Amino acid sequence: MNVLEICRQKLQEGGLRLTRQREQILAVMCEHQGEHLTREGISNLVQQEYPSVGKATVYRTITVFEKLGIVSRNNLDERVRYELADPAQAHEHHHMICLACGKIAEMRGDFLETQEQILLRDYGFHVVNHQLKFYGYCRDCAKEQEL
Amino acid sequence: MNVLEICRQKLQEGGLRLTRQREQILAVMCEHQGEHLTREGISNLVQQEYPSVGKATVYRTITVFEKLGIVSRNNLDERVRYELADPAQAHEHHHMICLACGKIAEMRGDFLETQEQILLRDYGFHVVNHQLKFYGYCRDCAKEQEL
DNA sequence: ATCTCTGCAAATAATTTGCATTACG
DNA sequence: CGTAATGCAAATTATTTGCAGAGAT
């Protein structure tokens, strides 16, 4: 089942509709898979390809997509950013953010599970999700800075 | 050496001045130590205690304080938040954010060091800092939701 | 005395909302 | 057909900036 159908189904489950605009916005998100875009950025991209789509529609759609888990939100940066949610949510990813060039790379790893059990035991805190960012210098920038 | 003197010194090192307003803003941050405040929130608190201080001054001051490491910034939430920087930066802390009541709790732990070594080895990424947030339900809210 | 800092108000940036119209299911 | 969704423009919210005067060192 492809992204579009998953999207249609999730919308229908909530009594919502898959409109032409929502398809187009989804298409743009697909074309930029892996990028971390602000709503404004998404809006600009959409308007390049589909100039008839209003900015407010993009903003409203991202909100809907987020609620349905179609896109995932992160605030790795100054501004909140979105990316197409990983269809196989199973394996989570973390981010490495280069302080020099700003590049955001992803890495995989489930090494927080033990810690989550500790949180439950020690604080009674039930973890449902987490977000981990490493700030530093990527290989290229580290070289330039002679680190 | 107290916070105020540390602040004065850091300012002076940068050729900056410790004005009455900056002292007052610092005082407010001290009174709300441990809280995670937006710049707007800080501005409101300042204006309650010191109505003569302009909003723009608060915004500009927080920016200065951040650059000097007097306050630390986090984007755990929708909006960027600030807190008085831990003078003993040595032991780092992570955050648990309750999805129900919004409360942000802190926890300590240095369990990411191994992972940082792996990042350097596998990706050539030099970590200088990191941020970890756990989202979930705090003890009280978990009880209400019968988790 | 010098040069940073301040308050104000206006400017900008980012997002939300009201409403009449369109179009999905 | 009924109701959710859209586009537009106006409204809101959050933050930044220009500038003339005040104040710290």
Side-chain angles (χ1 to χ4, degrees):
Chain A
M1 199 155 72
N2 64 52
V3 187
L4 187 61
E5 285 314 312
I6 292 174
C7 184
R8 167 172 281 126
Q9 192 174 319
K10 289 195 176 185
L11 284 165
Q12 281 179 345
E13 282 166 16
L16 304 177
R17 297 166 184 176
L18 180 55
T19 61
R20 199 189 69 248
Q21 291 89 333
R22 287 178 179 171
E23 274 189 41
Q24 294 172 334
I25 293 165
L26 185 66
V28 168
M29 294 297 290
C30 287
E31 287 163 26
H32 295 265
Q33 198 156 18
E35 291 177 49
H36 304 80
L37 303 164
T38 61
R39 278 184 290 187
E40 213 194 354
I42 296 166
S43 174
N44 292 338
L45 290 170
V46 168
Q47 300 219 350
Q48 277 170 35
E49 289 196 56
Y50 311 101
S52 65
V53 178
K55 192 164 47 172
T57 300
V58 177
Y59 277 78
R60 283 185 285 227
T61 298
I62 298 300
T63 305
V64 170
F65 281 3
E66 192 201 339
K67 282 195 186 129
L68 297 176
I70 295 165
V71 299
S72 63
R73 171 255 236 41
N74 66 52
N75 22 355
L76 299 160
D77 205 347
E78 287 295 79
R79 304 183 46 191
V80 175
R81 290 172 183 281
Y82 297 86
E83 60 186 310
L84 207 57
D86 194 336
Q89 282 279 1
H91 36 91
E92 54 194 348
H93 64 280
H94 310 297
H95 292 89
M96 294 175 280
I97 303 155
C98 181
L99 295 167
C101 67
K103 200 161 50 199
I104 300 174
E106 297 185 357
M107 57 157 302
R108 306 223 169 260
D110 309 339
F111 50 87
L112 290 174
E113 277 174 28
T114 337
Q115 193 55 37
E116 293 184 358
Q117 283 163 21
I118 295 174
L119 289 192
L120 182 57
R121 195 191 62 201
D122 293 357
Y123 301 91
F125 191 88
H126 295 248
V127 176
V128 302
N129 196 6
H130 57 235
Q131 201 174 77
L132 174 57
K133 344 173 195 177
F134 292 99
Y135 295 95
Y137 296 94
C138 68
R139 202 189 301 271
D140 297 341
C141 294
K143 212 175 290 171
E144 280 178 30
Q145 308 212 357
E146 289 166 28
L147 283 176
Chain B
M1 198 155 73
N2 65 53
V3 187
L4 186 61
E5 285 313 310
I6 293 175
C7 184
R8 166 172 281 126
Q9 193 175 319
K10 288 196 177 185
L11 285 165
Q12 282 180 344
E13 282 168 14
L16 304 177
R17 295 164 185 177
L18 180 55
T19 60
R20 199 189 71 249
Q21 291 89 334
R22 286 179 181 171
E23 273 189 41
Q24 293 172 335
I25 293 165
L26 185 65
V28 168
M29 294 296 290
C30 286
E31 286 162 27
H32 295 265
Q33 199 156 17
E35 291 178 49
H36 304 79
L37 303 164
T38 61
R39 276 184 291 187
E40 213 195 354
I42 296 166
S43 173
N44 292 338
L45 290 170
V46 168
Q47 301 220 350
Q48 276 170 35
E49 289 195 57
Y50 311 101
S52 65
V53 178
K55 192 162 49 170
T57 300
V58 177
Y59 277 77
R60 282 186 284 225
T61 298
I62 298 300
T63 305
V64 170
F65 281 2
E66 192 202 339
K67 282 195 185 130
L68 297 176
I70 295 164
V71 300
S72 64
R73 170 263 235 33
N74 66 51
N75 22 356
L76 299 160
D77 203 349
E78 288 294 79
R79 305 182 47 190
V80 175
R81 291 172 183 281
Y82 297 86
E83 60 186 310
L84 208 57
D86 193 337
Q89 282 279 359
H91 36 93
E92 55 192 346
H93 64 278
H94 310 298
H95 292 88
M96 294 175 281
I97 301 155
C98 180
L99 295 167
C101 67
K103 200 161 50 198
I104 301 175
E106 295 186 358
M107 58 158 301
R108 306 221 168 262
D110 308 339
F111 49 87
L112 290 174
E113 278 175 26
T114 337
Q115 194 55 37
E116 293 183 358
Q117 283 163 20
I118 295 174
L119 289 192
L120 181 57
R121 195 191 62 201
D122 292 358
Y123 300 92
F125 190 88
H126 294 248
V127 176
V128 301
N129 195 5
H130 58 236
Q131 200 174 77
L132 174 57
K133 343 173 195 177
F134 293 99
Y135 294 95
Y137 296 94
C138 68
R139 201 190 301 272
D140 296 343
C141 293
K143 212 175 289 171
E144 280 179 30
Q145 308 212 358
E146 291 166 26
L147 280 178

